[in-house]
Amino acid sequence: MELENSVDPSKTAFLVIDMQNDYCHKEGSLAKQGLDVSGVASMVPHLMHLIDQAEMYHVPVIYVRTIHEKSTDSGSWIHRLRGKSQTDLCRKGTWGSEFYKLVPEEEDIIVTKHRYSAFIHTKLDSVLHTLNVRNLLMAGVSTNVCVESTARDGFMLDYNVVLLSDCTAAFTREAYLMTLTNISQFFGTVAASNEVIDCWATLDKPGMKMTT
């Protein structure tokens, strides 16, 4: 499918996944565990610019966040990282669970998840159907974990997936590139944010539909 159709504002939602302090900040939980979060800094300007452009063209922006609490801490889940206990990440009500660099407005859509994929036991699919969305723009962290998990599930649910190469970050370059290859071959399209903006710029004015 041509990129223009896959980012049609009348059928597209922009998913911003796990842009939270524990994942992105140098003082967050993952950075303190030794993971490299430096890739976030270079992608944030692209992400913020695309959010502005999405709002201009009336593309709904959906902020996805991870919140963990005792009621969702199954034994397998808290030991998911090579068997190590993981109980301090994005805990409910903590600084680490707050959004990083982004401040959603009161009317913005926020989806809370408790697993890698934003489709598992959340309201996301219902929200997308309510908005009559068929295309998903994917951004956030980590490219190879929560972003890819959500992209895979979105594809399996028959959404057209566009992964934004300059609006995602992973903790290693290898993991980031692996996901870009995987998505482009099996689950959707990989594109840069400027390519999406160029498609939207072909509209006569913001808010007009690309297709009828």
Side-chain angles (χ1 to χ4, degrees):
M1 179 178 291
E2 294 182 357
L3 183 61
E4 289 84 355
N5 292 329
S6 296
V7 300
D8 182 342
S10 69
K11 303 175 182 178
T12 301
F14 185 12
L15 305 188
V16 180
I17 298 174
D18 289 353
M19 292 297 295
Q20 296 165 267
N21 288 326
D22 269 346
Y23 294 123
C24 302
H25 199 286
K26 63 182 180 181
E27 297 298 328
S29 175
L30 294 188
K32 288 183 176 180
Q33 294 178 43
L35 276 69
D36 182 6
V37 299
S38 61
V40 175
S42 61
M43 72 85 155
V44 164
H46 299 287
L47 173 60
M48 296 182 75
H49 181 56
L50 192 58
I51 288 173
D52 289 340
Q53 292 293 305
E55 292 173 346
M56 181 183 300
Y57 286 97
H58 306 290
V59 175
V61 180
I62 300 174
Y63 295 89
V64 179
R65 65 183 178 186
T66 296
I67 298 293
H68 294 313
E69 54 186 299
K70 187 175 180 179
S71 64
T72 63
D73 287 343
S74 67
S76 60
W77 182 246
I78 63 174
H79 292 95
R80 63 193 179 277
L81 297 183
R82 297 182 300 278
K84 296 179 180 178
S85 178
Q86 184 69 260
T87 58
D88 66 341
L89 184 66
C90 290
R91 304 306 292 182
K92 183 178 180 180
T94 65
W95 169 85
S97 68
E98 294 175 3
F99 287 107
Y100 174 80
K101 299 287 186 181
L102 305 176
V103 184
E105 302 292 336
E106 184 175 351
E107 65 273 14
D108 286 334
I109 302 170
I110 297 175
V111 170
T112 299
K113 66 183 179 69
H114 310 291
R115 295 296 184 264
Y116 293 143
S117 173
F119 283 102
I120 299 298
H121 306 312
T122 75
K123 65 180 182 180
L124 178 58
D125 198 40
S126 293
V127 169
L128 296 174
H129 280 287
T130 300
L131 295 171
N132 294 314
V133 162
R134 296 311 314 155
N135 307 321
L136 303 178
L137 295 177
M138 310 287 298
V141 296
S142 167
T143 315
N144 61 309
V145 184
C146 294
V147 179
E148 182 172 351
S149 294
T150 303
R152 283 169 174 254
D153 284 347
F155 174 78
M156 299 299 183
L157 292 169
D158 294 322
Y159 292 98
N160 302 309
V161 171
V162 178
L163 182 73
L164 296 159
S165 58
D166 58 343
C167 295
T168 67
F171 305 116
T172 69
R173 181 70 176 171
E174 293 77 11
Y176 166 82
L177 293 174
M178 176 181 65
T179 290
L180 266 56
T181 298
N182 210 28
I183 294 297
S184 65
Q185 289 185 349
F186 301 109
F187 300 104
T189 300
V190 174
S193 59
N194 67 294
E195 295 179 88
V196 175
I197 294 169
D198 286 346
C199 289
W200 291 343
T202 64
L203 299 173
D204 291 336
K205 60 182 179 180
M208 288 187 64
K209 295 182 178 180
M210 288 178 135
T211 61
T212 59

